[in-house]
């Protein structure tokens, strides 16, 4: 039940972001991932980024950050 509740909250969060129409921007996904892994590591989790130094793409920054944070959190938990 807890898992389904978190999943529902996340989906509603993604919908809210999309509804607000966050503008797309150029984002360096590699830098973002490295930063998120560093944050998780600083919080005591075993999270390391191994990949390219830079990967720039156009996306909605808040939405992609939230999606990547969810993936990292789930990888750490499960």
């Amino acid at each position: 039940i807890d898992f389904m509740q978190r999943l529902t909250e996340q989906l509603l969060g993604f919908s809210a972001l999309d509804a607000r129409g966050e503008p797309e921007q150029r984002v360096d996904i590699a830098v973002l991932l490295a930063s998120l892994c560093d944050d998780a590591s600083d919080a005591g989790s075993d999270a390391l980024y191994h990949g390219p130094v830079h990967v720039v793409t156009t996306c909605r920054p808040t939405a992609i950050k939230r999606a990547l944070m969810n993936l990292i959190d789930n990888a750490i938990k499960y």
Side-chain angles (χ1 to χ4, degrees), residues 10-74:
Q10 290 170 0
L11 288 172
L12 290 172
F14 283 125
S15 296
L17 283 174
D18 194 43
R20 285 196 305 249
E22 179 185 15
E24 292 188 351
Q25 298 176 15
R26 292 185 53 78
V27 175
D28 191 326
I29 300 293
V31 171
L32 177 58
L33 276 169
S35 174
L36 292 173
C37 287
D38 287 344
D39 291 346
S41 181
D42 289 346
S45 298
D46 187 19
L48 298 172
Y49 173 75
H50 295 283
V53 176
H54 296 285
V55 177
V56 178
T57 190
T58 302
C59 63
R60 293 183 175 121
T62 305
I64 196 69
K65 182 176 181 179
R66 185 178 195 139
L68 293 173
M69 285 173 53
N70 286 338
L71 288 171
I72 292 167
D73 288 345
N74 287 337

Side-chain angles (χ1 to χ4, degrees), residues 2-18:
D2 184 47
F3 172 76
M4 292 302 292
Q5 182 178 359
R6 284 193 318 260
L7 183 60
T8 302
E9 290 169 355
Q10 290 170 0
L11 288 172
L12 290 172
F14 283 125
S15 296
L17 283 174
D18 194 43

